[in-house]
Amino acid sequence: MKIVSIYISFLQMNRAFQIMGILIKHSFGELFAHTRFGKRRRKVHKIVHTTPERIRMTIEDLGPTFVKFGQILADRPDMVSEKFRIELKKLQSRAVPFDSEYAIALIEKELNAPLEQVFSEFDRLPLAAASIGQVYQGRLLSGDEVVVKIQRPFVENKIKLDIYLLKYLSKRFAKQYPELAAMNITGLIDEFSATILKELDYTIEASNINRFRIMFKDNPSVHIPVVHTQHCTKKLLVMEKIHGIPPDDLGALQAAGLDLSQIARNGADALLTMILKHGFFHADPHPGNIFVMEDNVIGFIDFGMVGALTPRDLDFLADFAIGFVSRNSDTISHALVTLCGKKFFEHREELKFEIHQMMMQYTGIPIETINFAGAIQNCVDIIVKYKLQIPSGIFMLIKALATLEKFATSLDPSLALAPVIVPYAKEVVKGKYSPRRIASEIYDTLNNYVSFIRDFPNDVSEILYKLKEGKIKHDVILDDNTLFIKTIRMVSRRIAYVIMLIGLFIGSIVLIVFDRDNGYGHFILIATSILILLQMLKWLFSRR
């Protein structure tokens, strides 16, 4: 074990020196650019590298892990300023193909058999090369045409080393610069590491594909490739090859006699079905991952990066869409605050005003011409100013919607995302207020109160015992905060009201048991039950 630990430490140290060398090289370049000689050189050669450009170039030199991390940061306005985000969006995962003979040896190792025992045909020239894997095409003995994705050698170890160093550096920065704590850079790196490690496991991608196949099994306008799971491993993925035309090749689509407007509609319906019906979506639906097949069918590939939405995320998108189409600033601001998990937000009125001002920019403009994803991004930019925590899945959602909107409008400029999304949004809202969901929430609330009442005497006894023993020591400092005082008063009133209702409830049961002749107990029980139900509904539907 010690030898393994020493070897891992050596690899970490070696990678750290590589990173330091790249950083030093670009740092000296940045320093030189700001000297008198650097300025003179720029005048002669007309080459100007700004600080954001040098950061982007540094990230590209650092390798695939840092490139992917930079691409994620490009979609996080809460962490990176606009000028850096613009440059980070230019990051490209430039991957040079590795030796095909070596790749084929790796494929045979994963198959545990020679190619001839699995494939009747196999093209030894790579179809594509990415930062994590390399893709080939062939035909199985069954006759099915397939693409084969094999993971690059040692890429997992390299990425894990980079993640270790990123986590180490983020913790050091968080300690040395406490002001960075609000950015939660450590949390972002944890999320990033979980995402990229999932991409390294092709069995997860195979599972994602099968999940999408179940989603669209009854939808003839969407095609999800078949996965040959019997040949798949953690480092090898074998799936159906899709034949089609990229959606950004308008000339080829028209030459094939396909309907551009219907293609745009099918693509929008497919992604909105993923997002608002299932809460599980393709997170990178750019033209390179989509093919248009016969009869305007949309075929998706590359399911390594997917997004999952919580019920709160879905409620936010639905409420936002409806508020946006109706131009209701109150609905939009409420949706944003709820998304951030803030029941009591002291700057709610200021937020409403800013959202209203943003919506006023669209006065007189038809809703069909407004950029829906851009409007969400503008609202997120406003929220960021108030230092509210936005769920990370929302940034992935905005990116997917922006890509979809660009894809759809390039095919059919008359197609607007906002009106298309509203029917899906209404279904989500109906589900939110369905009797089953309301009953479930009432049950959960009542169950919580029952647990509170049951445990309250024991909890109080424990607290009093610890106070008596001197085991609880805590300083409480109360500022003159209006919101805090209001909250305390509200909680006190609610606790008093609950205790009174519980007393009436228990008293009515006692009367029923011991005074059966009179109907007072039944009357009090019914009245108390109605009051409890009304109070539960009031709290459930309360906006503040």
Side-chain angles (χ1 to χ4, degrees), residues 344-542:
F344 303 101
F345 181 49
E346 58 184 346
H347 300 294
R348 187 182 290 266
E349 294 305 319
E350 294 95 319
L351 176 64
K352 281 183 183 179
F353 177 76
E354 289 204 47
I355 296 296
H356 176 71
Q357 290 299 108
M358 186 206 75
M359 292 302 294
M360 289 298 290
Q361 297 174 9
Y362 304 127
T363 303
I365 302 175
I367 202 73
E368 293 80 8
T369 63
I370 300 174
N371 185 332
F372 180 73
I376 298 180
Q377 185 64 66
N378 290 339
C379 289
V380 168
D381 292 341
I382 292 172
I383 280 287
V384 166
K385 292 194 302 185
Y386 291 99
K387 298 198 171 17
L388 293 175
Q389 290 290 329
I390 300 170
S392 59
I394 295 300
F395 297 104
M396 197 176 284
L397 172 65
I398 292 172
K399 180 182 177 183
L401 288 173
T403 307
L404 166 66
E405 198 160 23
K406 185 178 178 181
F407 153 76
T409 53
S410 66
L411 292 166
D412 181 6
S414 65
L415 180 66
L417 186 58
V420 174
I421 203 173
V422 167
Y424 293 91
K426 287 181 177 178
E427 288 300 315
V428 173
V429 173
K430 284 181 184 177
K432 183 166 66 171
Y433 296 111
S434 66
R436 178 179 294 180
R437 184 165 174 180
I438 291 172
S440 176
E441 290 181 355
I442 291 174
Y443 173 79
D444 290 340
T445 304
L446 288 172
N447 191 44
N448 289 336
Y449 275 112
V450 169
S451 299
F452 170 76
I453 294 165
R454 183 187 62 216
D455 298 335
F456 186 73
N458 291 331
D459 292 340
V460 171
S461 297
E462 184 179 355
I463 291 168
L464 291 174
Y465 174 77
K466 287 185 176 180
L467 283 171
K468 186 178 178 181
E469 294 292 315
K471 292 180 180 178
I472 294 180
K473 294 180 180 179
H474 195 76
D475 294 329
V476 179
I477 300 173
L478 299 179
D479 294 330
D480 187 16
N481 190 313
T482 305
L483 179 63
F484 179 82
I485 294 169
K486 285 182 179 179
T487 303
I488 291 295
R489 287 175 180 171
M490 186 197 68
V491 171
S492 301
R493 284 197 298 268
R494 287 189 176 183
I495 289 174
Y497 191 71
V498 167
I499 291 172
M500 182 186 71
L501 288 177
I502 290 170
L504 286 171
F505 191 84
I506 294 171
S508 62
I509 292 173
V510 172
L511 281 173
I512 290 171
V513 172
F514 292 100
D515 190 12
R516 299 179 182 177
D517 298 331
N518 297 318
Y520 298 121
H522 293 87
F523 175 79
I524 296 171
L525 178 62
I526 292 169
T528 305
S529 299
I530 292 171
L531 286 172
I532 291 172
L533 179 62
L534 289 173
Q535 189 62 37
M536 291 299 106
L537 291 172
K538 179 182 177 182
W539 290 343
L540 184 64
F541 293 106
S542 176

Side-chain angles (χ1 to χ4, degrees), residues 154 159 189 246 332 522:
F154 311 115
I159 288 174
I189 290 174
I332 293 173
H522 293 87

Side-chain angles (χ1 to χ4, degrees), residues 208-404:
N208 292 340
I209 297 171
N210 287 327
R211 186 171 173 180
F212 282 115
R213 278 186 62 79
I214 293 170
M215 281 185 200
F216 292 103
K217 63 180 181 180
D218 298 322
N219 189 335
S221 65
V222 178
H223 182 79
I224 307 296
V226 175
V227 181
H228 298 274
T229 51
Q230 70 274 23
H231 300 306
C232 294
T233 68
K234 185 179 178 180
K235 297 181 180 180
L236 182 71
L237 181 66
V238 181
M239 57 187 282
E240 172 193 358
K241 183 180 180 182
I242 290 182
H243 292 278
I245 302 169
D248 55 352
D249 192 346
L250 302 185
L253 293 173
Q254 291 172 331
L258 298 170
D259 186 342
L260 300 186
S261 179
Q262 189 61 47
I263 293 168
R265 182 77 192 199
N266 288 348
D269 285 338
L271 196 62
L272 293 176
T273 298
M274 294 178 192
I275 293 170
L276 283 163
K277 188 174 181 181
H278 300 283
F280 185 74
F281 61 95
H282 193 303
D284 198 18
H286 63 76
N289 289 336
I290 299 174
F291 288 99
V292 182
M293 307 166 71
E294 292 182 1
D295 300 323
N296 307 308
V297 173
I298 305 296
F300 290 90
I301 63 168
D302 195 356
F303 299 86
M305 187 179 289
V306 295
L309 300 175
T310 65
R312 187 173 71 178
D313 297 339
L314 288 172
D315 290 344
F316 156 72
L317 185 58
D319 291 341
F320 183 92
I322 292 171
F324 181 76
V325 171
S326 61
R327 302 176 190 261
N328 189 323
S329 303
D330 287 348
T331 302
I332 293 173
S333 59
H334 176 68
L336 287 164
V337 172
T338 304
L339 172 69
C340 298
K342 279 280 186 182
K343 193 170 184 181
F344 303 101
F345 181 49
E346 58 184 346
H347 300 294
R348 187 182 290 266
E349 294 305 319
E350 294 95 319
L351 176 64
K352 281 183 183 179
F353 177 76
E354 289 204 47
I355 296 296
H356 176 71
Q357 290 299 108
M358 186 206 75
M359 292 302 294
M360 289 298 290
Q361 297 174 9
Y362 304 127
T363 303
I365 302 175
I367 202 73
E368 293 80 8
T369 63
I370 300 174
N371 185 332
F372 180 73
I376 298 180
Q377 185 64 66
N378 290 339
C379 289
V380 168
D381 292 341
I382 292 172
I383 280 287
V384 166
K385 292 194 302 185
Y386 291 99
K387 298 198 171 17
L388 293 175
Q389 290 290 329
I390 300 170
S392 59
I394 295 300
F395 297 104
M396 197 176 284
L397 172 65
I398 292 172
K399 180 182 177 183
L401 288 173
T403 307
L404 166 66

